[in-house]
Amino acid sequence: MVISEGSLMQEVYTYPRTNLENTPISHSTRIYSGANNHNTIQEFVIEKEYHVELLGHIFYDKELIVRYKTDVDSKRVFYSDLNGFQMSRRETYDKIPLQGNYYPMPSLAFIQGSNGKRLSVHSRQSLGVASLKDGWLEIMLDRRLTNDDGRGLGQGVIDNRPMNIIFHFLMESNVSSTSDPILNPLPLSPSLLSHCVGAHLNYPLHTFISKKPQEVSLQPPPRSFSPLASPLPCDLHIVNFKVPRPSKYSQQPVEDPRFVIILQRKKWDSSYFRESILGCTSIVNESVNLLSIFKDLTVSKIRTTSLNLLHDDMEMLGYVEQSRNIQDGQTMISPMEIQAYKLELQPHH
């Protein structure tokens, strides 16, 4: 065990002792703190990173599972996301085998008690999750199988590789009344803070360094980067911003806009909303003007399109409201909706 403490982070690294010659796992627990982390997402989470190596015949037909025991009276009911889009209610049943009580967890799972206390686990990988006892949440880190498990793969899983698995834990208490999850058969939604934690984990900022010095790189880098003219509402997520096809290969008409932005509005649980924590300036209860969304670019043309970018007739697709309002750049997106827009961008003169 190695304990590290600094002004930005505290970490406990553990290499557990087992009866095996080579321990297949080591893990770190991190808490971010300090003045530099004030009002950031990291200060609200506990980060756990597992290094897993199920290699060799000694681990044939072995599964590596991590189990968390809490005082949350969840009554073996928990929630996991469906393709990172919506939450599904899960319940453990004694009448089915243990493997039948495991459910997919693409990016998020949480348990919630009758008093509103909620423990959320955000993952960077798609894994399996279960809650076999009250207040428990266990996640399958890896497994090495010699036979097919009858779930469509058609063969065993023996091509394991060393990997790092990262979780972000978030503990929340409701600030307003909420329904009892045990009695409510409907799925719940993550909080707005939970959505931000998931985005922080699954959409990291990547830095690219040129091998040769460029003329522009001789200038000192800016201390901040903000391509948007103003912050977007906290529950509005940019799914993608791209050029769908390079112009020299494009078969689209010349007058068709060349850029595409895809927006999604998250559905979140308002009973866990803490505006002071997130510093949110706005929520999407009002329209967003796409014509003035970028700081150094002018949107000269805008058009609503389907998600596959092939159909621009929104009235034919049933999006009459979007077709009517988009001419002046204003857009309204309902919770759980995804909308795509074609843009023509010009630099400011």
Side-chain angles (χ1 to χ4, degrees), residues 278-295:
L278 288 169
C280 289
T281 56
S282 64
I283 306 295
V284 181
N285 290 324
E286 54 191 37
S287 60
V288 176
N289 192 338
L290 295 180
L291 294 179
S292 58
I293 189 175
F294 298 106
K295 180 187 295 184

Side-chain angles (χ1 to χ4, degrees), residues 14-69:
T14 307
Y15 189 73
R17 179 186 301 170
T18 67
N19 56 2
L20 301 173
E21 182 178 352
N22 296 320
T23 301
I25 186 172
S26 62
H27 66 89
S28 298
T29 303
R30 305 184 185 98
I31 297 177
Y32 297 90
S33 59
N36 292 336
N37 286 330
H38 185 60
N39 287 334
T40 64
I41 295 298
Q42 283 182 311
E43 69 174 310
F44 300 109
V45 302
I46 297 175
E47 181 178 284
K48 295 189 74 71
E49 180 174 357
Y50 296 87
H51 182 77
V52 179
E53 294 188 15
L54 286 188
L55 308 177
H57 66 279
I58 191 173
F59 296 111
Y60 279 173
D61 296 317
K62 296 290 191 300
E63 298 172 335
L64 189 59
I65 297 171
V66 59
R67 174 182 292 164
Y68 303 102
K69 301 178 181 180

Side-chain angles (χ1 to χ4, degrees), residues 99-290:
Q99 61 267 28
N101 286 308
Y102 263 83
Y103 295 89
M105 182 188 75
S107 63
L108 171 64
F110 66 79
I111 54 177
Q112 179 176 323
S114 57
N115 59 353
K117 183 184 294 185
R118 177 184 291 186
L119 174 69
S120 303
V121 182
H122 293 267
S123 172
R124 202 173 63 175
Q125 293 93 347
S126 298
L127 301 167
V129 62
S131 180
L132 303 181
K133 290 189 179 182
D134 185 23
W136 286 18
L137 198 63
E138 58 183 57
I139 304 171
M140 184 178 295
L141 300 178
D142 199 8
R143 58 180 183 165
R144 190 175 180 90
L145 306 178
T146 56
N147 299 313
D148 179 35
D149 61 357
R151 292 296 182 269
L153 187 60
Q155 62 184 24
V157 181
I158 57 175
D159 56 347
N160 306 67
R161 295 291 183 270
M163 61 179 179
N164 292 331
I165 299 173
I166 296 181
F167 296 140
H168 278 180
F169 286 80
L170 179 64
M171 197 73 191
E172 297 177 287
S173 298
N174 60 314
V175 295
S176 61
S177 60
T178 182
S179 59
D180 189 341
I182 312 303
L183 303 177
N184 184 12
L186 301 177
L188 302 179
S189 299
S191 67
L192 196 53
L193 177 59
S194 183
H195 278 305
C196 293
V197 169
H200 180 270
L201 178 63
N202 288 288
Y203 302 98
L205 188 66
H206 296 282
T207 303
F208 299 91
I209 301 175
S210 174
K211 292 183 178 179
K212 296 181 180 180
Q214 303 293 326
E215 194 172 316
V216 66
S217 65
L218 298 179
Q219 304 295 329
R223 296 190 61 85
S224 64
F225 172 71
S226 177
L228 302 180
S230 60
L232 289 176
C234 289
D235 55 351
L236 195 63
H237 171 59
I238 299 179
V239 178
N240 207 340
F241 178 62
K242 62 180 181 178
V243 179
R245 289 170 293 187
S247 57
K248 64 179 181 178
Y249 299 118
S250 176
Q251 301 298 321
Q252 61 189 13
V254 178
E255 67 276 4
D256 204 28
R258 293 191 304 113
F259 300 91
V260 171
I261 187 170
I262 303 176
L263 301 175
Q264 175 192 1
R265 184 182 177 190
K266 304 281 190 177
K267 179 177 173 57
W268 50 279
D269 194 335
S270 59
S271 61
Y272 290 85
F273 180 57
R274 286 181 171 85
E275 186 174 2
S276 59
I277 290 180
L278 288 169
C280 289
T281 56
S282 64
I283 306 295
V284 181
N285 290 324
E286 54 191 37
S287 60
V288 176
N289 192 338
L290 295 180

Side-chain angles (χ1 to χ4, degrees), residues 77-89:
V77 173
F78 69 101
Y79 301 82
S80 65
D81 65 306
L82 184 63
N83 297 329
F85 186 72
Q86 66 189 51
M87 302 302 296
S88 296
R89 186 182 188 272

